[in-house]
Amino acid sequence: MTTLTRRAALGAAAVAASLAMSNGAQAQGYPNKPITMMVAFAAGGPTDVIARIVSEHMSKTLGQQIIIENVAGAGGTTTTARVAAAAPDGYTLIMGQMGTHAAAPALYPNLRYNPVTDFTPIGVAGITPIVIVTKKDFPANNLREFVAYVKANPDKVNQAHAGIGSTAFTTCVLLKAQMGVQKLNAVAYRGTGPALNDLVGGQVDFMCDQVTNLTPQITAGNVKAMGIATPARLAVLPNVPTTTEGGMPDYQISGWNAIFGPKGLPADIQARLVDALDKALEDPATNKRLADLGTVIPNKTERAPAGLAAILARDLALLDKPLRETGAVGQ
Ligand code: MLT
């Protein structure tokens, strides 16, 4: 070894040792500054709403503020890539979801993250049944009429979604396959929060959206629910028939929202975050806020890191083929 390379090697070893020490120190005092939880969609949508409700209680447990930062774009993949590349120190997290983690790999050939290997799973924060909703004056009043109208008028119907690969996009790909409809006019938004505003305003015709976003608007009669893709009706939406009742028993799908950190999060930081999420979902007031919106609270096994890994693996497998067949390829 030359003097130069020996010096370089010693320097690298010293940097590695000091990094290890600082990681250890951070883990011991964690958290000693505010945590950022990224939301890869606009404010007011289901990802944002669930992130805000859950993080409010988590921050009490952790003794530090959790700041929600909404940065939308490319179906949430830009921000998700940013979190994958962040320092694994527990100060940058993401409220990931079915779109960003399970759908994107099939649609973005140059995706800059691997949803399985580039993240440390914390846990599932909410399971979100999908509802097919239309604007108030859409010329159909139930799922059978909706399917008949869309099949007869594919050029007239506008579908809103939250970007290629979003949950709204993905679950409508499955719906279109079930209906035997190839293509509809699609309008991409930065999240289904703003998309829902336009659905209420009548600028677009329909969406496949997560219930968390929709419950107040359905209850107020501002949009019409054609069917919910669950085996049974939801208690908070007793008047919304299931897709089985509407003649589409095979359209059964729920989204999910889950907290991830970058890969390599120290185990003790991961454990503190898992515990904070558990406490949030076990808190009666937090649980009720989510449940009142129709969000299904995962049990402790389902929401644990291993449960999240299982849901992710299941949906990566489920969505791969139908999404690749759409030919809707992002950058
Ligand atoms: C989605 O469709 O992926 C979400 O609804 C996006 C959002 O939270 O706005």
Side-chain angles (χ1 to χ4, degrees):
M1 203 184 264
T2 64
T3 311
L4 206 60
T5 48
R6 192 176 314 115
R7 228 183 258 151
L10 286 173
V15 169
S18 87
L19 272 178
M21 274 175 62
S22 74
N23 267 348
Q26 275 172 351
Q28 272 165 31
Y30 177 83
N32 57 23
K33 61 178 185 181
I35 296 166
T36 298
M37 187 181 287
M38 301 298 302
V39 167
F41 296 94
T47 319
D48 178 70
V49 167
I50 291 175
R52 284 176 198 276
I53 293 176
V54 166
S55 67
E56 195 178 305
H57 194 276
M58 286 177 74
S59 67
K60 284 186 205 154
T61 304
L62 294 165
Q64 282 291 343
Q65 199 188 355
I66 299 181
I67 297 160
I68 303 295
E69 198 178 318
N70 302 78
V71 184
T77 58
T78 314
T79 291
T80 309
R82 190 173 133 194
V83 174
D89 56 10
Y91 292 100
T92 307
L93 307 173
I94 186 165
M95 183 58 80
Q97 37 107 289
M98 179 202 251
T100 54
H101 280 70
L107 292 164
Y108 291 84
N110 300 321
L111 194 64
R112 286 182 290 127
Y113 57 89
N114 178 317
V116 176
T117 56
D118 287 342
F119 296 90
T120 302
I122 306 300
V124 182
I127 297 175
T128 50
I130 296 298
V131 187
I132 304 158
V133 273
T134 67
K135 64 181 180 183
K136 212 164 49 181
D137 58 359
F138 191 78
N141 287 314
N142 57 51
L143 190 55
R144 284 187 177 83
E145 289 176 11
F146 171 82
V147 174
Y149 184 85
V150 172
K151 287 176 90 157
N153 300 282
D155 296 338
K156 278 199 206 158
V157 177
N158 291 318
Q159 170 214 340
H161 63 70
I164 290 177
S166 62
T167 302
F169 173 94
T170 298
T171 53
C172 256
V173 166
L174 303 181
L175 178 71
K176 283 181 271 187
Q178 294 264 327
M179 291 194 294
V181 173
Q182 292 295 323
K183 208 167 163 22
L184 298 172
N185 303 316
V187 188
Y189 289 81
R190 297 173 75 76
T192 51
L196 182 58
N197 288 342
D198 273 7
L199 191 71
V200 170
Q203 280 94 348
V204 286
D205 292 320
F206 88 101
M207 281 203 289
C208 306
D209 197 13
Q210 298 170 74
V211 69
T212 310
N213 206 27
L214 300 172
T215 300
Q217 298 291 8
I218 293 172
T219 307
N222 294 334
V223 292
K224 287 196 292 197
M226 298 289 125
I228 183 159
T230 42
R233 292 189 184 201
L234 282 197
V236 293
L237 290 171
N239 299 325
V240 176
T242 65
T243 45
T244 303
E245 291 174 72
M248 292 186 82
D250 293 335
Y251 190 66
Q252 300 283 328
I253 188 88
S254 288
W256 46 265
N257 291 262
I259 303 173
F260 296 85
K263 77 166 175 238
L265 211 58
D268 52 351
I269 292 184
Q270 182 191 26
R272 291 220 52 199
L273 292 167
V274 170
D275 172 66
L277 177 62
D278 274 340
K279 289 200 166 76
L281 295 182
E282 282 160 13
D283 169 59
T286 305
N287 193 297
K288 184 173 180 326
R289 281 174 75 192
L290 291 168
D292 282 351
L293 294 171
T295 316
V296 178
I297 315 293
N299 66 36
K300 206 170 162 113
T301 311
E302 286 171 320
R303 69 176 175 253
L308 169 53
I311 288 181
L312 179 56
R314 179 198 69 194
D315 285 355
L316 280 164
L318 173 82
L319 299 173
D320 188 68
K321 187 163 178 277
L323 290 177
R324 283 184 198 281
E325 282 172 0
T326 66
V329 172
Q331 57 280 0

